[in-house]
Amino acid sequence: MKEKILLNEILLETTMSALRKKNFDVVCADTPQDALRILTETIPQDSSIGVGGSRTLDQISFFDTFNVQHYPNYIDRYEAGISAETKREREISMLSADVFVSSCNGISQTGELVLIDGNGNRCGGMTFGPKKRIVVAGVNKIAADLSAAMSMAQNRASVMNNLRFDTKNPCTITGRCMNCASTNRICNVTTILHRAAPAGSILVVLVKEDLGF
Ligand code: SF4
């Protein structure tokens, strides 16, 4: 629809401008394939690479390209058969990787990124440690301001993830976050990236299509 395309262009332009003023590097990808191309051109082959769980990365076929076969220092926390201890050790090593790649759950048109996480590994990797941090996000993640981005992250992304993992948490009944005390609550850490620090350490790849939730 013409209006949706026009709206997306406006959202992308205003958000990219706001993010750049806050020291984020930003590029726009036309398609998921284009986003993957940008990542392969940005991340050197010998980099150690950590990754946060992300439906968006699944959708751009990130894991078909970024794996130990193609990138020998890729840190694989999803390897079949590894113990919980090994998985935890790999998650910790991601916090000092050369590159950490993730999506986020909300982006404000005023230039902030919001992430919600179960145990903090993704929020940790995106805030401190890895020299380069890269966020891939679809245009659907853009909200008007920080408050709207926070609400989007909590009431849409978190609820969708609960439905995806069939957690039976209260939000899977109500369709919105109930700030529950469930033992299997999957959203325990919320991070706001107000600015990129140091400048240029975070690259945001904004895709002109809906990706993730
Ligand atoms: S805090 Fe609880 S109710 Fe809210 S989204 Fe997370 S699991 Fe669902």
Side-chain angles (χ1 to χ4, degrees):
M1 194 198 319
K2 189 176 115 196
E3 294 79 7
K4 175 142 171 65
I5 293 169
L6 283 173
L7 176 60
N8 282 351
E9 292 287 345
I10 295 166
L11 293 175
L12 287 164
E13 277 183 28
T14 52
T15 304
M16 288 195 295
S17 173
L19 287 168
R20 286 185 180 123
K21 285 179 185 155
K22 297 188 172 181
N23 293 332
F24 295 95
D25 290 337
V26 192
V27 291
C28 188
D30 290 331
T31 62
Q33 296 75 22
D34 196 26
L36 189 61
R37 177 191 59 76
I38 291 166
L39 294 183
T40 58
E41 290 176 1
T42 303
I43 300 174
Q45 200 88 28
D46 60 352
S47 303
S48 56
I49 304 168
V51 180
S54 165
R55 181 100 175 100
T56 295
L57 294 184
D58 283 338
Q59 288 177 299
I60 68 167
S61 302
F62 176 89
F63 298 100
D64 293 342
T65 297
F66 288 89
N67 51 52
V68 287
Q69 281 74 44
H70 300 110
Y71 290 78
N73 297 315
Y74 178 85
I75 304 167
D76 187 1
R77 71 185 178 113
Y78 296 116
E79 183 180 347
I82 62 172
S83 66
E85 183 63 24
T86 299
K87 184 179 180 200
R88 178 173 158 72
E89 284 169 4
R90 291 185 186 182
E91 286 175 342
I92 290 170
S93 71
M94 286 182 180
L95 303 179
S96 58
D98 296 323
V99 183
F100 190 88
V101 187
S102 178
S103 186
C104 65
N105 304 114
I107 305 175
S108 69
Q109 263 184 286
T110 46
E112 292 105 348
L113 308 180
V114 178
L115 297 95
I116 296 185
D117 205 351
N119 65 9
N121 68 299
R122 193 172 75 141
C123 289
M126 280 307 304
T127 50
F128 182 78
K131 295 184 199 88
K132 188 78 180 176
R133 289 159 277 156
I134 302 177
V135 173
V136 182
V139 64
N140 55 310
K141 299 280 179 78
I142 297 174
D145 54 23
L146 180 56
S147 172
M150 296 275 289
S151 179
M152 173 188 280
Q154 193 70 62
N155 290 303
R156 192 169 74 196
S158 293
V159 176
M160 291 287 279
N161 272 318
N162 273 277
L163 290 167
R164 177 183 172 202
F165 295 119
D166 194 23
T167 62
K168 314 275 193 239
N169 283 329
C171 53
T172 64
I173 307 297
T174 62
R176 65 186 173 88
C177 176
M178 305 302 287
N179 193 19
C180 71
S182 166
T183 52
N184 61 338
R185 174 172 163 151
I186 63 168
C187 32
N188 298 307
V189 184
T190 301
T191 293
I192 302 168
L193 296 173
H194 294 277
R195 302 177 71 86
S201 60
I202 302 177
L203 170 66
V204 182
V205 181
L206 278 175
V207 187
K208 291 184 179 178
E209 294 185 15
D210 289 358
L211 291 170
F213 37 72

